[in-house]
Amino acid sequence: MSSPETNSADAPETEALTDGFHLIIDALKLNDIKTIYMVPGIPVTDLGRYMQEEGMRVLSFRHEQHAGFAAAIAGFLTKKPGICMTVSAPGFLNGLTSLAHATTNCYPMILISGSSEREIVDLQQGDYEEMDQLSIAKPLCKAAYRVLHAEDIGIGVARAIRAAVSGRPGGIYLDLPAKLIGQVMNAEAGAKSLVKVIDPAPAQIPAPDAVQRALDVLKGAKRPLIILGKGAAYAQADDDIKAFVEKSGIPYLPMSMAKGLLSDTHPQSAGPARSLVLKESDVVVMVGARLNWLLSHGKGKSWGTAPKKFIHIDIEPKEMDSNVEIAAPLVGDIGSCVSALLAGMGDNWSAPPADWTEAVSTKKNANIERVASKLQNNNVPMDYQGALGSLRTIIAERPDAFLVNEGANTLDFARSIINMYKPRKRLDVGTWGVMGIGLGQAIAAAVETGHPVLAVEGDSAFGFSGMEIETVCRYNLPICIVVFNNGGIYRGTDVNPSGGDDVATTVFTKESRYDKMMEAFGGVGYHVTSPDELKRAVNEAMDSGKPSLVNAVIDENAGTESGRIGNLNPQSVVSKK
Ligand code: ADP
Ligand code: TZD
Ligand code: MG
């Protein structure tokens, strides 16, 4: 930026100027946002260049969707909005999936897209990449804003940041027309127009009577259960959540991305006794988890017939009674709610009845015992248990590593087999079960924390973002991708029911070598066929810290349709394969 100049008495006064480019950068930096996930092009190419020049970390992707998934998970990991920046219409649309995903998962993210001339777009006169982006973004995000004047950039960025992180976090769209980016204004006035967002996500303290009501319900419980969701992981109230669980003595069930909030080996973990605790519990404390499809909407067969009372902690008041009656709604931020509960429990809180906690432990130990030997198998071709048995040991030995995970069987088996030991280390497909999330999340995890990443990917899942391995190599990130190559979606064995020449819709090219894709960009490729080889390859890759990809051949017969959610497939009464 230019600085004010001193003028000699007779020289004409030269006004120091700034422009949209630099005001955007200054507004972001003032709010401590220094990392951008993007794809360059008109009108944001120079904006990316200037961001880099001004000391921001600008990561250029091969496709906006993955830049967006990176930004969304960066938001989850840091509690600051992750930024994805795109060009107009097609780039914007590519970014929208991740914006909608961020909103659905309650991750703070801002999609910044350049856009075309307002006058031409609104008259539909066919501008370059013409599209009314603001209207299209609105239903897919928490808030959408457009800035038309350089002097409003500061307030526009501030609004976007506050909207992303306050209350229930979500995705925000910020529309920046090309003309705005190039607009010029007085530098001093520009500097004054910037806004620092003070306390962007203010604490939301629960009402004392709501806390008391929750404690009263909990006190009366004979078979209590705590469910921790990814909102609890997001809240970064790790010590208080652990203290609450331990003081209460109540068994807890982590949702997939809450795994590791307390170690999966914690004696109160009821993960391996999931069916029993859902069915038999009489009071359920929901902490940052929704009673959506992932929890069968809080009713029906998987919840059993025993009457249940729910205590629900969430920052979003509308979430209460979304699916079933909530006996004790506790609206507030998780840190404040959990510490209020802890305080209210006093020093003499009694543990739940021993017959309940013992029943849970017995079931859990029996289930752990039942699968233990399967996890040790060294079968060739590998099944999911043998392969994941190897990776489970690797994560146990490297608890700081992230586990990124997507696929169907690859996801469902890994979720239950691989224990997590630290908070926010497991990053997966989220509320929608999106395929293609893996590489963007792996890249952001490595970039935001510097920690190593193990990405366990179904071969189909990997294919959605496979080209981003070039991005991984380009930035030399410590990411080891393991592709569970079973030659298809769910299984590699389907046949075309018509008997025609095309292969079945769920089947891929046999004996594909994904490891060679990694080698093409200078990364390290491994091809393995047994659990022992898999373990050796992943250990070597993670020790080296180099971008690597392990093509792990899995028995094409081993998986089941849709992993564990095959029941959600509609059935035809007319034809059945
Ligand atoms: P999971 O998929 O793990 O069950 P969900 O995404 O369904 O989790 O639920 C997360 C919930 O956490 C959302 O309802 C969201 O409003 C809530 N949440 C997110 N952050 C906070 C916070 N800081 N305090 C309270 N609730 C939060
Ligand atoms: N497209 C998107 C964006 N998300 C999806 N969830 C799907 C399609 C449908 N789908 C699933 O739900 S899982 C899956 C698809 C295509 C791939 C499963 O195959 P995989 O895993 O190879 O990744 P397994 O181990 O073979 O089951
Ligand atoms: Mg597969």
Side-chain angles (χ1 to χ4, degrees):
M1 265 173 66
S2 40
S3 53
E5 289 170 20
T6 40
N7 303 300
S8 66
D10 49 5
E13 198 168 312
T14 326
E15 188 188 6
L17 298 174
T18 186
D19 56 22
F21 291 102
H22 291 90
L23 287 166
I24 294 163
I25 294 167
D26 293 345
L28 291 168
K29 281 171 67 176
L30 178 66
N31 286 290
D32 214 26
I33 292 178
K34 295 185 184 130
T35 307
I36 308 285
Y37 301 93
M38 61 101 68
V39 175
I42 297 170
V44 298
T45 316
D46 272 350
L47 185 51
R49 290 194 182 112
Y50 291 134
M51 284 171 159
Q52 215 169 32
E53 185 178 288
E54 299 280 336
M56 299 180 93
R57 183 101 199 257
V58 188
L59 295 128
S60 181
F61 279 64
R62 304 302 293 256
H63 189 291
E64 291 85 352
Q65 189 175 116
H66 310 304
F69 287 144
I73 209 70
F76 169 76
L77 290 172
T78 63
K79 294 186 91 174
K80 287 196 284 193
I83 311 286
C84 172
M85 189 164 83
T86 78
V87 304
S88 16
F92 157 78
L93 286 172
N94 284 346
L96 267 192
T97 306
S98 42
L99 181 70
H101 161 83
T103 308
T104 297
N105 284 275
C106 319
Y107 302 155
M109 165 189 172
I110 303 173
L111 175 68
I112 297 180
S113 294
S115 59
S116 311
E117 291 295 330
R118 284 263 36 92
E119 290 82 354
I120 305 180
V121 173
D122 289 347
L123 274 171
Q124 300 183 29
Q125 293 172 313
D127 200 4
Y128 170 71
E129 297 192 345
E130 173 179 303
M131 176 172 272
D132 183 6
Q133 295 169 196
L134 189 69
S135 306
I136 291 166
K138 267 183 190 160
L140 301 174
C141 59
K142 190 177 164 192
Y145 306 109
R146 177 189 291 135
V147 183
L148 289 176
H149 304 291
E151 64 264 32
D152 291 332
I153 287 173
I155 206 76
V157 168
R159 293 213 75 186
I161 292 170
R162 188 176 289 283
V165 296
S166 59
R168 170 182 276 177
I172 307 301
Y173 176 59
L174 188 60
D175 192 270
L176 302 181
K179 224 192 220 167
L180 167 88
I181 298 174
Q183 245 177 55
V184 172
M185 72 178 284
N186 174 278
E188 202 182 324
K192 280 198 191 130
S193 72
L194 300 181
V195 176
K196 169 118 182 120
V197 184
I198 309 296
D199 194 12
Q204 299 200 13
I205 315 288
D209 59 336
V211 175
Q212 194 51 53
R213 188 187 298 117
L215 288 169
D216 290 346
V217 172
L218 197 56
K219 251 179 225 148
K222 300 266 182 302
R223 298 179 304 282
L225 170 68
I226 295 169
I227 297 184
L228 302 174
K230 59 175 155 351
Y234 173 79
Q236 297 193 15
D238 307 341
D239 292 345
D240 274 355
I241 290 172
K242 185 162 186 272
F244 169 64
V245 171
E246 290 182 342
K247 191 172 191 178
S248 73
I250 298 172
Y252 72 92
L253 196 62
M255 300 301 286
S256 66
M257 282 177 57
K259 275 165 68 81
L261 207 41
L262 286 83
S263 164
D264 279 336
T265 54
H266 193 282
Q268 284 168 258
S269 164
R274 187 177 195 274
S275 310
L276 174 100
V277 291
L278 288 185
K279 279 205 179 76
E280 303 292 330
S281 51
D282 64 347
V283 170
V284 182
V285 188
M286 307 284 301
V287 188
R290 286 169 287 187
L291 284 167
N292 57 14
W293 72 279
L294 285 157
L295 283 168
S296 313
H297 305 280
K299 54 198 170 192
K301 224 168 68 194
S302 45
W303 285 89
T305 49
K308 271 187 225 300
K309 285 187 177 162
F310 287 94
I311 299 167
H312 197 164
I313 303 179
D314 204 291
I315 203 157
E316 174 57 64
K318 288 203 301 286
E319 193 54 42
M320 305 298 146
D321 309 313
S322 61
N323 286 269
V324 294
E325 181 182 288
I326 301 300
L330 201 48
V331 175
D333 74 275
I334 285 167
S336 302
C337 291
V338 170
S339 69
L341 286 176
L342 263 172
M345 285 161 89
D347 295 327
N348 303 310
W349 186 264
S350 0
D355 57 348
W356 169 239
T357 48
E358 278 161 20
V360 176
S361 293
T362 307
K363 185 71 186 173
K364 166 178 156 178
N365 294 335
N367 283 344
I368 291 174
E369 182 82 7
R370 199 167 46 80
V371 293
S373 65
K374 290 188 196 153
L375 302 181
Q376 310 279 325
N377 88 62
N378 201 29
N379 294 344
V380 177
M382 288 187 272
D383 53 31
Y384 288 93
Q385 289 89 349
L388 289 164
S390 286
L391 300 182
R392 168 190 225 258
T393 318
I394 285 168
I395 292 292
E397 288 164 357
R398 302 169 193 266
D400 281 321
F402 283 91
L403 178 69
V404 169
N405 189 202
E406 60 175 335
N409 293 280
T410 305
L411 177 86
D412 291 343
F413 280 103
R415 185 179 53 235
S416 60
I417 290 173
I418 301 183
N419 284 333
M420 304 306 297
Y421 302 86
K422 294 199 171 178
R424 294 172 293 284
K425 290 295 183 182
R426 188 188 150 85
L427 310 175
D428 67 28
V429 296
T431 305
W432 271 346
V434 184
M435 295 299 113
I437 199 116
L439 285 245
Q441 291 194 155
I443 290 168
V447 164
E448 298 288 338
T449 70
H451 289 177
V453 181
L454 176 64
V456 181
E457 305 265 316
D459 51 347
S460 165
F462 172 71
F464 285 75
S465 65
M467 194 63 206
E468 298 298 344
I469 59 175
E470 189 277 325
T471 313
V472 173
C473 290
R474 189 164 15 107
Y475 294 109
N476 195 26
L477 297 171
I479 296 175
C480 172
I481 300 159
V482 178
V483 175
F484 271 27
N485 186 355
N486 64 345
I489 298 175
Y490 316 139
R491 297 163 72 86
T493 51
D494 270 7
V495 287
N496 179 339
S498 78
D501 288 339
D502 289 348
V503 295
T505 54
T506 54
V507 168
F508 297 149
T509 306
K510 299 282 173 204
E511 294 172 16
S512 296
R513 290 289 301 269
Y514 295 99
D515 49 315
K516 292 188 187 285
M517 287 173 68
M518 195 55 149
E519 288 170 0
F521 302 109
V524 184
Y526 299 88
H527 173 68
V528 303
T529 56
S530 74
D532 281 351
E533 279 175 17
L534 174 61
K535 193 190 280 179
R536 266 200 302 278
V538 175
N539 270 322
E540 185 180 303
M542 296 197 72
D543 284 343
S544 77
K546 288 183 192 150
S548 1
L549 190 152
V550 183
N551 183 58
V553 181
I554 303 285
D555 184 350
E556 61 177 13
N557 294 288
T560 57
E561 178 92 359
S562 304
R564 296 209 189 128
I565 53 173
N567 58 309
L568 299 179
N569 283 303
Q571 301 285 321
S572 167
V573 292
V574 178
S575 69
K576 185 117 175 53
K577 57 179 180 333

